[in-house]
């Protein structure tokens, strides 16, 4: 009823993130009128950088079949809610689309591919980064990739989340791997089936950095000046 919608609308606009997180799927279930509230909510917050709450509201509209939702996104967010800035002309739209659909496994692969694209044709062919390429990775691009992951994962995934955990463990890799679910006892988690490709994963579980060639690429990404 109109009353229910109005009370949901009030909680969405005034509630804590926890409350907002619960309200958004309820509005999604209410169809057109619920989506109207979500559209209004997003527009009102357009002047400040998107948070993962905006990400949740955006995802509802992104998955909606309603023509009004499609038109709204096309008009106000043709490239999603995270600005797709790049210092080197890379297009992050495919990454934003996969993350908006919560297809974290495909998004993880595209993340590796895009990072190779940034590093150049040799890296694209090699399909992995040298640690020097990670050290010199353009700040804006690293921040864009990270923001996409953060905003579309309830703040759970992204290099900056991994960095925070890594620093909290005094950069101890042996403690870090099990904490983010990449190792259990002496066993590395096996790619791809043993990884958790949804939000039930531990914080910092994604995106993956293959450790086959050692830890230096990941160390360069987590120690990058982009996070200062
Ligand atoms: N893999 O085990 N991984 C691959 C991870 C390791 C291996 C890709 C992460 C340990 C081989 C990604 C972990 C290891 C291949 C990841 C992990 C190992 C492969 C696809 C936990 C053996 C290539 C992208 C740390 C003990 C053959 C890419 C294949 C692929 C990620 C083996 C994203 C985070 C040390 C042989 N592993 N990798 O980079 O299966 O190829 O395709 O890290």
């Amino acid at each position: 009823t109109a009353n229910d919608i109005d009370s949901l609308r009030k909680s969405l606009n005034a509630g804590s993130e926890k409350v907002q997180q619960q309200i958004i799927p309820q509005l999604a279930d209410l169809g057109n009128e619920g989506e109207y509230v979500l559209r209004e909510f997003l527009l009102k917050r357009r002047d400040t950088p998107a948070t993962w709450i905006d990400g949740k509201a955006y995802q509802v509209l992104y998955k909606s079949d309603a023509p009004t939702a499609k038109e709204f996104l096309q008009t106000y967010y043709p490239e999603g809610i995270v600005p797709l800035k790049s210092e080197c002309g890379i297009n992050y739209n495919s990454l934003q689309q996969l993350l908006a659909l919560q297809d974290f496994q495909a998004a993880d692969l595209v993340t590796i591919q895009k990072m190779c694209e940034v590093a150049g044709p040799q890296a694209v062919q090699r399909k992995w980064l040298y640690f020097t390429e990670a050290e010199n990775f353009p700040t804006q691009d690293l921040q864009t990739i990270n923001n996409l992951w953060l905003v579309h994962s309830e703040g759970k995934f992204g290099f900056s989340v991994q960095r925070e955990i890594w620093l909290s463990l005094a950069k101890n890799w042996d403690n870090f791997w099990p904490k983010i679910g990449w190792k259990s006892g002496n066993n590395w988690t096996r790619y791809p089936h043993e990884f958790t490709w949804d939000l039930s994963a531990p914080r910092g579980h994604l995106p993956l950095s293959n450790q086959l060639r050692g830890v230096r690429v990941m160390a360069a990404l987590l120690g990058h000046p982009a996070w200062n």
Side-chain angles (χ1 to χ4, degrees):
T1 72
N3 252 341
D4 295 335
I5 295 256
D6 203 51
S7 86
L8 288 174
R9 183 170 168 275
K10 289 204 172 89
S11 317
L12 182 67
N13 287 306
S16 64
E17 281 192 342
K18 264 252 142 32
V19 168
Q20 291 171 325
Q21 180 182 22
Q22 289 163 354
I23 299 291
I24 289 166
Q26 292 179 47
L27 284 163
D29 288 341
L30 292 174
N32 280 338
E33 284 124 288
E35 286 187 10
Y36 177 85
V37 175
L38 293 173
R39 293 199 299 270
E40 177 197 56
F41 177 71
L42 279 178
L43 280 185
K44 224 174 2 189
R45 293 158 59 100
R46 241 177 132 222
D47 294 337
T48 52
T51 70
W52 64 265
I53 292 293
D54 299 283
K56 284 233 100 60
Y58 175 85
Q59 285 159 23
V60 169
L61 299 172
Y62 193 77
K63 288 174 199 163
S64 167
D65 295 323
T68 39
K70 295 196 189 309
E71 207 178 295
F72 172 83
L73 295 184
Q74 193 51 247
T75 304
Y76 295 103
Y77 305 93
E79 293 201 314
I81 45 167
V82 175
L84 302 184
K85 293 183 190 154
S86 171
E87 289 175 31
C88 44
I90 301 291
N91 185 347
Y92 292 105
N93 215 2
S94 57
L95 181 59
Q96 100 82 22
Q97 287 175 28
L98 289 168
L99 287 169
L101 293 171
Q102 310 269 277
D103 186 344
F104 292 117
Q105 187 169 355
D108 185 63
L109 278 178
V110 168
T111 298
I112 297 168
Q113 283 162 7
K114 287 288 163 188
M115 290 178 76
C116 288
E117 250 184 74
V118 169
Q122 290 181 334
V124 170
Q125 223 173 19
R126 196 187 318 128
K127 294 187 162 67
W128 48 274
L129 293 185
Y130 288 147
F131 74 87
T132 47
E133 292 165 336
E135 280 173 353
N136 294 319
F137 205 86
T139 290
Q140 205 168 54
D141 291 68
L142 197 55
Q143 287 171 346
T144 295
I145 293 167
N146 187 60
N147 285 335
L148 282 168
W149 276 95
L150 269 179
V151 163
H152 289 295
S153 69
E154 304 187 345
K156 243 182 151 167
F157 300 147
F159 298 116
S160 64
V161 179
Q162 293 169 343
R163 169 184 163 87
E164 196 184 299
I165 297 168
W166 179 63
L167 291 181
S168 79
L169 299 170
K171 306 187 182 180
N172 181 312
W173 296 108
D174 293 332
N175 295 340
F176 180 68
W177 306 131
K179 188 86 183 171
I180 62 169
W182 288 10
K183 202 172 187 178
S184 170
N186 280 328
N187 303 311
W188 290 108
T189 303
R190 295 232 191 138
Y191 183 83
H193 296 298
E194 287 180 4
F195 289 93
T196 305
W197 302 105
D198 57 52
L199 292 177
S200 71
R203 258 171 57 82
H205 192 61
L206 300 174
L208 301 183
S209 299
N210 197 353
Q211 296 307 309
L212 201 54
R213 296 169 205 91
V215 77
R216 291 189 74 175
V217 168
M218 184 135 194
L221 292 175
L222 301 192
H224 197 281
W227 318 124
N228 293 336

